[in-house]
Amino acid sequence: MAKNSIYRPGDLQAQQEARRKAKGNPNKNIHHKKKNSNYGGFNAQAKKAADRQNADSRSKQLPIPRGAKIALLVLMGALAVLLVLNYTALKGNAVSANVASLLIGALCCYMAYVNYFLRKLRGGFHAVLTVILVILGAVYVLMSLAALGTLPG
């Protein structure tokens, strides 16, 4: 029954009002679900904002600059053209095969450079990827330069 009221058994409206008040507020437990609520104490909103900022900064990557995109496209296009020529018109040509290997190595090294220095990707996966790209690129470049050096002799 409601406080500060006199109980009258014959008053139906007062009884219904008393029952409604006795049940309580049906919305009392969802205020923490509302936007910008202060549920969880005074610092809850600050903690949520800091967590969101940290999550955003971890997932953000710098975009690839326009010049780097153009250089990547030029390298990939030249490699594609050279590989097509290597398997069709220049079949069996050692110079075109070694130049294609040189371009593959240069592309690997350039992609590692772009990811590490221009996009500033750090972390376990990106560190391993960068090391693999550098090693693979160095092997391709050195082997193709050594092969190109022995061709004229």
Side-chain angles (χ1 to χ4, degrees), residues 10-125:
D11 191 5
L12 184 61
Q13 188 175 9
Q15 285 178 354
Q16 288 175 345
E17 182 72 17
R19 284 189 194 117
R20 187 189 63 77
K21 286 183 178 180
K23 287 180 182 177
N25 185 359
N27 299 322
K28 69 180 178 182
N29 291 325
I30 65 165
H31 65 280
H32 68 280
K33 296 177 184 174
K34 292 181 181 174
K35 187 176 180 184
N36 298 328
S37 69
N38 195 18
Y39 188 75
F42 179 71
N43 293 332
Q45 287 297 316
K47 285 181 186 176
K48 283 182 185 178
D51 289 343
R52 262 188 259 121
Q53 177 115 13
N54 289 340
D56 288 346
S57 67
R58 278 181 278 159
S59 65
K60 278 188 179 176
Q61 303 170 358
L62 293 174
I64 298 176
R66 186 178 176 102
K69 282 183 186 177
I70 292 171
L72 279 171
L73 288 174
V74 166
L75 272 174
M76 285 184 193
L79 181 63
V81 167
L82 196 57
L83 285 174
V84 166
L85 286 175
N86 194 24
Y87 286 110
T88 56
L90 300 174
K91 193 172 226 171
N93 190 348
V95 175
S96 68
N98 290 324
V99 171
S101 294
L102 185 68
L103 276 177
I104 289 172
L107 187 62
C108 287
C109 290
Y110 190 68
M111 285 170 49
Y113 169 78
V114 166
N115 281 338
Y116 191 76
F117 290 107
L118 299 182
R119 295 181 75 193
K120 299 194 185 322
L121 296 175
R122 304 294 193 265
F125 173 74

